[in-house]
Amino acid sequence: MTNNLKSHQIALQVFQMAIADLLGENLFDIYKLNSEEKEIVKEARRLLGLNRKVNTLSLLFDRVKLPAPDGKGQKEDHYVPLHEIVSNSEGYPTIPYPIPSPADLQKYRTKIADEIKTHLNSDDRWNDLNFLTFLLEKYGSCVSYGDSHTALVDAARMTAAVAVALSQNLESEEKFHLVAGSLSGIQDFIYTISSDGALKSLRARSFYLELVAEEIVQQILDELKLPRTNVIYAGGGNLFILTSDRNNSLKSKLENLRNRFNKWLEERFKSKISLSIACSSCNKNDVKSSSFGSCWKNVISELAKQKSQKFCHQIKNGNLLDIKPSYQPCKVCHRDDVKTERLKSLHEGSDVLACPTCRKMFRLGGQLFKTKAILRSQRPRISSSLDRVDVCVEVLGQRYYLFEHLPDAKEIRDDERITLINDFDVNHYSYRNCNLLMLGNYSQQGEEGFMRAEEMTEKARESGCISRVGYLRMDVDRLGQIFAKGLPDKEDSSHNIDEYSLPRVASLSRQMSYFFKVYLNSLAGDRANNLPENAKTLTAQSDKNFSRRNLMFIYAGGDDLFISGAWNEVVEFAFDIYQSFRAYTGNHPDITISGGISIDDAKFPLYQSADSSGEAEGKAKNNGRDSLGLFGQAFKWNEWIGSKPDEIIKSIKERDGKDEYWEQEKKIPVLAGVIPFVKILIDQGFGEGYSRAFVRNLLKAAQLQEQKLEELRPKNPKLDSDEARDLRYYLHLPQIAYTISRLPKEVKLSDDFRRSLMSPYNAPYFRAIATWIELLNRGGTNQ
């Protein structure tokens, strides 16, 4: 038996066992391997400390605890609800928020048993590793397997990975090897473009990098003769693969792969993007202990070294300083190494001269919204019987054909692979070599597929707001620490498993990716059915535009995102994401997210908007994380949302670092934060007529505070003196009291509102409140 066939058979047996165990009965003859291979699978289970017991799944996020002083740990237990992943009519799976107690496992197994048996009614299906992997993804993501915190699909994948690595080891080899890869320069490639249709091109570039990363993974697997089950994680331009070092050739193979890809990347993108590949070894017994964490950190450290020396291969080849011809630059990506005669109009009717790559990216952007399937093939062209294909993308010798509809399975060759995008319908997986690609790709449809920036500003204007586009960037706080140190070395009393084990790392990666690549689509496209209970929103659910948002995902995956749309909907969607993410992770105090929003004119250069939203996100990170940067300010999320006044006041006290200063304040306001005031003012019609003067006076009070604080800064740079606090929290009171007293009687502001607005605790929020109200009520103007 050849090595790659043997690896496939071992992984297949692991997944067949997992399917049988999920159903609770031995339905099929799964013991077709020889005794040596059975022992390998048994040894893999021993190394991981996993038995074959299926049970309810405890929320893995509950086990995360960062080291002091950041780590607080979770104090409550949560469970994953029992559910198969099912899409609604528009393709959006419901977000499975954790529940406080486990559901009835036997009822769930009985419910899915007949359906699974129906899909496995032939040997072809039962012996198809890709299909079994999809089945476990769909039905086995919500139950545990041998470890109460590890999902069945992740436990099966990692058992298969370890078993395959064992089967490829030399007799004397006691080590496994963790291969890591990373694409650097992604932001330069995606964000630094300027042209008409920039949003479409930007989304295409993001998607194209997904294909490049996918091709890198596939070529590594092919070179090392590994099944896809050996991929621990792949997303966001990063990958981690478990393997052995058969014939002591691992490093040379990886180096050849890296050099081949970098040569191709250099030719295509003028060294904007480069690939780093590194590996680190660990003892085979380390896969269920914290020692695996050291292996993980070592390989990441090696990647960082390579990234700092990304032109090293050019120095070795002696061509780094070679004189190269320069031509008229492309007006989109600005590269100047393409001959002038190859620069052509970006699209029909455009006067923007673009290089071939940028023209292809623009065409690709128009097709992505409709793409349901991708065919990986070496065919230079495909027949018309495979349905209409508008775009073919080439990545290092492989062609990726995009389909609007699922092609006929009979037309797909054995050496080709079909990939379905965000498709959880089992009936669609009838191809011989088929896998699922999860992709954060939501977009409200526009005139040309994706919405253009001008269409987004029009949607904002139709809502009565100023005509602007919003850009949101967000990412998970301290994600590196969570993976490196967040699963402490502590035994699980029920299973004798260290917290930091290979299956748990894989499970944590998958669950994080699911939120950004799958469930964000649901939150945008079917908002009404995917917001967590008791979520606070500015838009009333009765509003006709409440559910499906006027947004476009430029990038969403791994642990971060970049989203554009009508500015008012982008702002509210940021709060949707925050509340959804917190609920999805069990409101864990150590797992937070920060973001930044910029609001710009439709014709404002997109790369500058990306920089502005990045700067706003930076302010949020510098605010102690768990924050949002918006309207030039950064506050904690609970300060924006106004969840509980006492919690907000606690945040203020922590920020000021002088609790006794606040002891003079006897009464906590009924309202605190930004959104509670904005909501009431909107309901009262503020921003129009006489009430606009009130909003402007609120803004003047904020500006006066900021001016006086800046005057104080030379004496007190940190603005942490009592004088600074007096300015921040009391300077506004006379003007606000006068402004409130001048309001007409028909303005029905409650006493609670008036007292809360006068409270010093709410003074820091005046600019945000006034700016938000002002922008919400300037429909029809671009000023």
Side-chain angles (χ1 to χ4, degrees), residues 136-171:
L136 283 189
E137 194 89 47
K138 180 178 176 66
Y139 297 101
S141 297
C142 63
V143 297
S144 68
Y145 197 48
D147 168 21
S148 62
H149 288 85
T150 301
L152 171 61
V153 62
D154 302 309
R157 283 174 50 236
M158 293 305 99
T159 300
V162 170
V164 167
L166 283 171
S167 72
Q168 293 188 345
N169 266 344
L170 300 171
E171 289 185 7

Side-chain angles (χ1 to χ4, degrees), residues 518-669:
V518 179
Y519 297 134
L520 278 187
N521 295 323
S522 304
L523 190 62
D526 188 14
R527 185 187 185 210
N529 293 312
N530 284 284
L531 274 173
E533 272 189 66
N534 303 318
K536 294 200 173 187
T537 64
L538 201 60
T539 308
Q541 194 156 351
S542 58
D543 189 297
K544 64 178 182 179
N545 295 319
F546 179 85
S547 191
R548 188 172 173 89
R549 315 305 284 160
N550 291 302
L551 306 168
M552 186 180 99
F553 289 11
I554 297 170
Y555 172 78
D559 74 312
D560 60 349
L561 57 86
F562 183 41
I563 291 173
S564 64
W567 78 266
N568 53 316
E569 298 194 48
V570 167
V571 170
E572 189 157 13
F573 191 55
F575 295 105
D576 289 352
I577 294 172
Y578 167 74
Q579 294 176 95
S580 178
F581 180 76
R582 297 290 291 130
Y584 179 76
T585 57
N587 290 298
H588 194 300
D590 295 353
I591 307 175
T592 58
I593 192 168
S594 294
I597 298 175
S598 66
I599 299 173
D600 300 304
D601 183 81
K603 296 190 179 299
F604 193 69
L606 186 54
Y607 68 92
Q608 291 186 22
S609 296
D611 286 343
S612 298
S613 56
E615 289 173 8
E617 184 184 19
K619 285 185 178 180
K621 296 286 187 182
N622 292 332
N623 191 50
R625 304 183 183 91
D626 191 27
S627 301
L628 172 69
L630 173 63
F631 306 137
Q633 295 180 289
F635 298 124
K636 296 289 187 182
W637 288 101
N638 67 338
E639 294 182 82
W640 286 103
I641 293 173
S643 49
K644 293 180 181 178
D646 56 336
E647 290 182 2
I648 292 176
I649 291 164
K650 182 181 177 183
S651 297
I652 293 172
K653 289 179 179 180
E654 289 175 352
R655 182 174 61 214
D656 279 349
K658 192 174 182 183
D659 286 355
E660 62 269 20
Y661 182 79
W662 296 96
E663 290 177 0
Q664 59 187 292
E665 297 303 323
K666 297 177 181 178
K667 192 171 183 180
I668 294 175

Side-chain angles (χ1 to χ4, degrees), residues 390-605:
D390 286 338
V391 177
C392 171
V393 178
E394 187 270 330
V395 182
L396 198 66
Q398 291 289 340
R399 290 178 173 83
Y400 287 85
Y401 294 95
L402 277 58
F403 293 89
E404 290 184 29
H405 306 285
L406 300 184
D408 187 342
K410 296 177 183 178
E411 301 284 348
I412 308 301
R413 299 175 180 174
D414 289 341
D415 62 343
E416 296 174 334
R417 187 180 75 243
I418 192 84
T419 298
L420 307 186
I421 297 178
N422 297 338
D423 191 335
F424 290 94
D425 188 335
V426 187
N427 297 313
H428 293 167
Y429 287 77
S430 58
Y431 305 95
R432 286 181 290 273
N433 190 8
C434 183
N435 65 290
L436 166 70
L437 176 64
M438 295 177 291
L439 191 65
N441 68 338
Y442 174 85
S443 176
Q444 181 71 284
Q445 191 164 2
E447 295 175 2
E448 300 175 5
F450 287 121
M451 292 186 77
R452 294 178 293 108
E454 291 78 8
E455 292 176 277
M456 294 173 181
T457 59
E458 179 61 20
K459 290 294 182 182
R461 189 196 64 77
E462 289 174 1
S463 299
C465 306
I466 191 170
S467 300
R468 293 288 186 272
V469 183
Y471 297 94
L472 168 66
R473 292 176 71 169
M474 296 178 82
D475 73 356
V476 177
D477 298 322
R478 298 177 294 232
L479 188 69
Q481 290 184 51
I482 289 172
F483 275 96
K485 303 175 183 178
L487 295 172
D489 188 7
K490 177 183 176 183
E491 290 187 344
D492 182 318
S493 58
S494 60
H495 298 290
N496 196 37
I497 297 172
D498 284 336
E499 300 284 6
Y500 203 107
S501 66
L502 177 57
R504 287 191 176 182
V505 170
S507 198
L508 192 65
S509 299
R510 182 186 58 80
Q511 291 180 49
M512 197 69 78
S513 288
Y514 254 74
F515 182 81
F516 288 93
K517 289 190 171 185
V518 179
Y519 297 134
L520 278 187
N521 295 323
S522 304
L523 190 62
D526 188 14
R527 185 187 185 210
N529 293 312
N530 284 284
L531 274 173
E533 272 189 66
N534 303 318
K536 294 200 173 187
T537 64
L538 201 60
T539 308
Q541 194 156 351
S542 58
D543 189 297
K544 64 178 182 179
N545 295 319
F546 179 85
S547 191
R548 188 172 173 89
R549 315 305 284 160
N550 291 302
L551 306 168
M552 186 180 99
F553 289 11
I554 297 170
Y555 172 78
D559 74 312
D560 60 349
L561 57 86
F562 183 41
I563 291 173
S564 64
W567 78 266
N568 53 316
E569 298 194 48
V570 167
V571 170
E572 189 157 13
F573 191 55
F575 295 105
D576 289 352
I577 294 172
Y578 167 74
Q579 294 176 95
S580 178
F581 180 76
R582 297 290 291 130
Y584 179 76
T585 57
N587 290 298
H588 194 300
D590 295 353
I591 307 175
T592 58
I593 192 168
S594 294
I597 298 175
S598 66
I599 299 173
D600 300 304
D601 183 81
K603 296 190 179 299
F604 193 69

